[in-house]
Amino acid sequence: MRAHHQRNSSLVTDLAATIAAIPSAIRMVLEPKTGTQCDYGSFEDTRPLQDPIANGAEPPGATETNGGVPEADDLSQEPLIPQEWALKFPPSPRRLSPTHVKIDMPTPALRDKTSFPPEKLKTFYAFILMSCSMVATTVTLALVHEKVPDRSEAGPLPDVVLDHIEENQFGWGLYSSEILIMCATTTTFLVVFFHKHRFIVGRRVFLILCLLYLMRCVTMSVTVLPMANKTYYCSPKANSTSFLLIAGRALHLLSGFGLSINGQHTYCGDYLYSGHTVILVLCYLVIQEYTPRRCRLLHWLAWSAALAGMVFILISRAHYTVDVVVAYYVTTRLFWIYHTLANNMELKQSGPNNFLGRVWWFPAFRYFEANVSAVVPKQFEWPFPRRLFAKHPNREC
């Protein structure tokens, strides 16, 4: 009994001596809470490091598994691990080795600046190109107006839809389609304006519109179709052309933005292909591409507006059916080809196997999309700096 009491007393004495020695050798370090760290920090040994292998000493309390080699993952789960063990037992391959390579991961803000640079000057250039193509379209229409066959000499061409619609049966259709155009363009402008990468999206829309209007200049001038509606008002022909005459007609058309609802579109011959259909379809494609998938109601409304606008154009006999079909086909294919090239980095380089790189506008595409290195995310932000609306410290109200 006395021996047992003496043994317990010695154990208590040894334990007290061990606890008294801990504060001088180990201190607690508070660390942020993460998935791989304890909730209350970790202990750091402040004693000088010694190589146990060089001294021939075995770390106390070490357990050997797998043939005498302790498991590093088991040791890492212990709350207190002497640093001398790191010299004897190397980390597992899953952990960083002394020769690891550090990879700097950019922050989201830096990544947006490097992958999606605004390049406002390029956006301005794209806007200038679009403006020039619109002027070219109006000039072409001013010239084509003199070549339109007289209604007394050539009637409307046979058409699968127009043959079943009488003159002025749906005269309100053209104005209705233009109201839908104004609503669609306003919505598209708001989508682009509030988009986080509005300058990238904006110059894409400008360049696509530029290409569509330039191709429309070609198709409108090479083949002049007779009037589809005998009652539609057309300005009298001058039977001659001059620079001042064409310039005056072009300015007259531009003042009305190419719409008939304001009474400025009084020149005829712009049939193949339909400019109204181009705007309606392009607005839907932009809204559908650059807004999140959860905006299904907005997508459905844009699609319905485009479809209803094309139907109104046909029933008002403002265009032939072929004009609407070709406009839809050209707009959708150009938009999809452009974004296929823009969203695949390997297709931005011309090569023998990249047949999309053989389109005639590919050099312009490479210039405007050279620094966009990823798919543009569908994100929105407030476009105005917050400091403009913040209260100034010196203001009284």
Side-chain angles (χ1 to χ4, degrees):
M1 183 69 180
R2 182 178 298 176
H4 179 71
H5 179 70
Q6 292 176 353
R7 186 168 56 253
N8 290 341
S9 300
S10 63
L11 290 176
V12 172
T13 303
D14 294 342
L15 179 60
T18 303
I19 295 175
I22 287 177
S24 62
I26 299 176
R27 61 185 175 89
M28 189 172 184
V29 181
L30 295 179
E31 298 176 351
K33 296 181 180 182
T34 61
T36 60
Q37 297 172 341
C38 70
D39 292 341
Y40 302 99
S42 61
F43 289 94
E44 178 181 3
D45 194 349
T46 60
R47 293 173 296 182
L49 295 179
Q50 297 179 359
D51 190 351
I53 300 179
N55 298 332
E58 183 71 16
T63 57
E64 297 184 356
T65 57
N66 297 333
V69 180
E71 293 287 344
D73 292 339
D74 296 338
L75 296 177
S76 63
Q77 297 177 1
E78 295 294 332
L80 297 178
I81 301 177
Q83 293 188 1
E84 293 88 345
W85 286 23
L87 300 176
K88 182 175 181 180
F89 305 108
S92 62
R94 289 177 295 178
R95 301 185 182 276
L96 293 176
S97 63
T99 59
H100 69 274
V101 178
K102 182 180 180 181
I103 301 177
D104 295 330
M105 299 299 294
T107 60
L110 180 61
R111 186 162 52 248
D112 288 344
K113 292 181 180 179
T114 56
S115 301
F116 310 106
E119 297 181 300
K120 300 177 183 180
L121 190 59
K122 286 187 178 180
T123 305
F124 176 73
Y125 291 158
F127 176 78
I128 295 299
L129 290 176
M130 182 200 67
S131 302
C132 293
S133 65
M134 294 182 65
V135 172
T137 303
T138 57
V139 171
T140 303
L141 176 56
L143 293 171
V144 169
H145 178 75
E146 296 292 330
K147 300 180 181 180
V148 177
D150 294 335
R151 298 173 182 177
S152 58
E153 299 177 358
L157 297 176
D159 189 278
V160 67
V161 176
L162 271 59
D163 290 347
H164 300 85
I165 299 176
E166 299 179 358
E167 301 284 347
N168 289 334
Q169 184 178 357
F170 302 98
W172 50 265
L174 180 59
Y175 295 155
S176 300
S177 67
E178 293 183 346
I179 293 175
L180 292 176
I181 287 176
M182 289 186 286
C183 295
T185 52
T186 302
T187 305
T188 305
F189 172 79
L190 293 177
V191 168
V192 176
F193 185 72
F194 286 98
H195 199 279
K196 184 176 182 180
H197 307 288
R198 62 188 65 87
F199 292 101
I200 297 177
V201 179
R203 66 171 170 265
R204 287 181 176 180
V205 174
F206 295 153
L207 183 58
I208 292 175
L209 277 175
C210 171
L211 299 175
L212 289 171
Y213 276 112
L214 288 178
M215 290 187 290
R216 187 167 182 254
C217 290
V218 177
T219 58
M220 192 167 54
S221 59
V222 295
T223 302
V224 181
L225 302 179
M227 294 295 298
N229 191 341
K230 293 182 179 180
T231 60
Y232 185 82
Y233 175 76
C234 292
S235 297
K237 297 180 182 180
N239 295 324
S240 63
T241 57
S242 63
F243 175 80
L244 294 178
L245 176 66
I246 300 303
R249 289 178 176 179
L251 291 176
H252 184 76
L253 291 168
L254 289 174
S255 63
F257 297 97
L259 300 178
S260 301
I261 195 172
N262 49 30
Q264 301 298 320
H265 195 291
T266 59
Y267 301 101
C268 303
D270 56 338
Y271 282 109
L272 193 64
Y273 44 86
S274 171
H276 290 60
T277 304
V278 166
I279 299 300
L280 288 169
V281 174
L282 183 60
C283 287
Y284 162 70
L285 293 174
V286 173
I287 294 173
Q288 191 271 338
E289 175 65 23
Y290 292 105
T291 54
R293 185 176 297 180
R294 63 178 178 269
C295 301
R296 296 181 179 178
L297 179 60
L298 179 61
H299 298 168
W300 183 83
L301 291 175
W303 179 85
S304 301
L307 180 62
M310 289 186 288
V311 172
F312 291 156
I313 291 171
L314 289 176
I315 64 177
S316 65
R317 301 180 65 98
H319 277 280
Y320 291 102
T321 305
V322 67
D323 304 338
V324 176
V325 172
V326 172
Y328 168 81
Y329 185 87
V330 173
T331 305
T332 53
R333 269 56 188 178
L334 179 60
F335 187 90
W336 293 336
I337 291 174
Y338 188 100
H339 284 77
T340 299
L341 293 171
N343 295 340
N344 294 274
M345 302 302 106
E346 62 276 6
L347 296 180
K348 291 185 178 181
Q349 304 296 327
S350 59
N353 297 324
N354 183 12
F355 291 93
L356 294 178
R358 302 182 183 183
V359 292
W360 61 273
W361 45 267
F362 189 73
F365 164 82
R366 289 186 60 181
Y367 171 75
F368 287 105
E369 298 289 338
N371 297 324
V372 182
S373 57
V375 179
V376 176
K378 302 175 182 180
Q379 300 174 353
F380 295 86
E381 67 177 5
W382 185 250
F384 303 104
R386 295 185 181 274
R387 62 178 179 270
L388 295 179
F389 302 93
K391 183 178 180 180
H392 195 274
N394 296 328
R395 293 178 183 171
E396 298 181 355
C397 58

